[in-house]
Amino acid sequence: MSDDHHEEDRPEFDPQNVDLPAKEPPLRSTAPQSDFTMSQVSTGAVVALVGLALTFGIAFALV
């Protein structure tokens, strides 16, 4: 089995050396912080409603 952790590229851990990295990690955008268009909201609502209708519709049909 091949480990893809690149152990040889990592420096040895030294608890006495607590230097922070020279540069900050890149900023990233996550979904709750992103702006949504009404088209995206509508599409999500339709998908949710279809999913709920299928889930509960099949359950009620089998009862």
Side-chain angles (χ1 to χ4, degrees):
M1 178 183 270
S2 171
D3 280 341
D4 195 25
H5 295 288
H6 304 285
E7 296 290 334
E8 64 276 357
D9 294 338
R10 295 181 182 182
E12 283 292 319
F13 176 70
D14 180 10
Q16 300 300 320
N17 182 8
V18 291
D19 293 336
L20 296 175
K23 65 178 191 172
E24 294 181 14
L27 295 176
R28 64 185 190 135
S29 175
T30 57
Q33 298 170 347
S34 301
D35 292 332
F36 294 108
T37 64
M38 280 309 292
S39 172
Q40 291 171 323
V41 171
S42 300
T43 301
V46 168
V47 169
L49 289 174
V50 169
L52 288 170
L54 286 174
T55 301
F56 292 105
I58 292 173
F60 286 130
L62 294 175
V63 172

